[in-house]
Amino acid sequence: MPQKFYITTAIAYTSRKPHIGNSYEIVLTDAIARFKRMAGFDVFFLTGTDEHGQKIETCAKEAGVSPKAYVDEIAGEIRRICDLLGASYDKFIRTTDDYHERAVQKIFKKLYEQDDIYKSNYKGLYCVPCESFFTESQLVDGKCPDCGRAVTPATEEAYFLRLSNYQERLEKYIEENPGFIYPESRKREMVNNFLKPGLQDLCVSRTSFTWGVPVDFDEGHIVYVWIDALSNYITALGYNPDGSGGDYKKYWPADAHVIGKDILRFHTIYWPILLMALGEELPKKVFGHPWWLFGEDKMSKSKGNVIYADTLADVLGRDAVRWYLLAEMPHAQDGSITLERVVERYNADLANVLGNLIQRSISMVGKYFNGVLPAPERERTLEDAALEETALAALPALENAIDSFRLADACEIIVNFAKRANKYVDKTAPWVLAKDEALRARLGTVLYHLIESCRFLGVLLGPFMPQTAAEILRQINAGAAVGLESLSTFGGMAPGTQLGEPSALFARLKPEETLERLRNEG
Ligand code: MSP
């Protein structure tokens, strides 16, 4: 039986079209899911949309449509962008799905019946025109932060979750499972800023709007959107407090929740407590990734510095967008994206290194051997051995990098291997060997090494650039030698294989012209 691997992304709000920052998480998670599938795991990859709450209700009102019509459109757009980026999700959940809403109601009721949720009064500062409660610290100059009018102290009935009852157990879990909050720097932040000061019970219902999951035993109350949203990770698998289905039994607990650093608190405090109260196992890992900045600034529509994944994909192709996002984002600090940098990296990694290697390797077999892959000699030079060694070391290093969510390191391992193979071309100079008939066998050995290196690259690139990887393997006609297990020996390509015609994978971009096209598209 293959080992299971359950991985999820955060579910995106359907308040607006997602920018490249939101799309990043899908690509990151997809690369990990694809790698795990290639490594033989039984993977379940979940993504979806978070569709309830006051903000979305307001957006719909402004657009003059019903909340449902509004979220249908944006959820469609989010899913379209996921597909465009090649996300291989197994399920796309929407929090407006019937089965999810029913399960959330049952979860809420169960927690109420067992007294983990209780009814009390919410005391806060209320803005009547905005129908919103605020805390003292949220006010701007003592006034409503939204409309600037005066607020008045008010009390409202609401439900609360007893976070404080679970504080000790959660602290113990975090201590005993050092990899749970990841990376380490984020863990310190959570423990010191939120757990140490002590948890206060969390208000888990609202009455000021209606666009949400109703509390089914108390009319007028709506389940707090984060309780609704977090539950997606289990409802998507068919979780039901009265007895869950097979997928839940098979895949839960999650092996990794991949989320942005801003929502770590919800995933490492509220979510585990909710699960403890339900008597369910806790996720094994929550990976809080950094954010994309536009240059050095936060991306925002009002600043006009928002980049969309589909704009880039239209001009550069889906794989180039994936590559940039995976290769450029640091492990723990924020990443920077600018159109100039995207074009630069495209030319550096994809056109000059990868594309160039593949194209010239296949072309030389075409030119010198009529496209039929020659057999290598038994004798190997130091140069050959060094290339083989680098190839064989790539997969273990890649596996290590992916298991520790260091995707940029994984990309670097691949590019460095391709650079190494380009150097091999320069050092062995096949065009010189070709001039001397006596060196024909040596020429065959060199070209075999190059095409076998292309095969390694085709396999290794699978999780990162699936279309490109498939195209490389097609061009060299790799046959069955396309799985990760085939990378444990250097020699998977069968001599005598008829290679296909090389076609440029990544043509070198003219920066000015490309930037202009990208700006016009955006
Ligand atoms: N709906 C919540 C998540 C609920 S999960 C149960 C939410 N949605 S979001 O649309 O605002 O964000 C979706 C994901 O995108 C989050 O993980 C968030 O951190 C991430 N990002 C938002 N802006 C980002 C960047 N600029 N860069 C990288 N990731 C970004 O939060």
Side-chain angles (χ1 to χ4, degrees), residues 7-38:
I7 189 163
T8 67
T9 67
I11 48 173
Y13 287 128
T14 47
S15 39
R16 54 177 156 59
K17 175 177 169 175
H19 56 57
I20 190 117
N22 304 114
S23 305
Y24 164 65
E25 198 167 288
I26 309 288
V27 172
L28 166 67
T29 311
D30 182 63
I32 300 170
R34 283 177 186 267
F35 182 79
K36 287 287 178 185
R37 278 192 209 106
M38 287 175 80

Side-chain angles (χ1 to χ4, degrees), residues 10-13 19 21-22 25 50 226 229 233 260 262-263 289 291-292:
I11 48 173
Y13 287 128
H19 56 57
N22 304 114
E25 198 167 288
D50 184 354
W226 271 100
Y233 301 128
D262 58 317
I263 54 174
H289 62 70
W291 267 35
W292 283 106

Side-chain angles (χ1 to χ4, degrees), residues 386-408:
L387 182 67
E388 290 178 22
E389 232 165 73
T390 315
L392 292 170
L395 178 59
L398 198 80
E399 199 152 23
N400 224 336
I402 293 181
D403 282 344
S404 46
F405 297 83
R406 295 181 174 274
L407 278 283

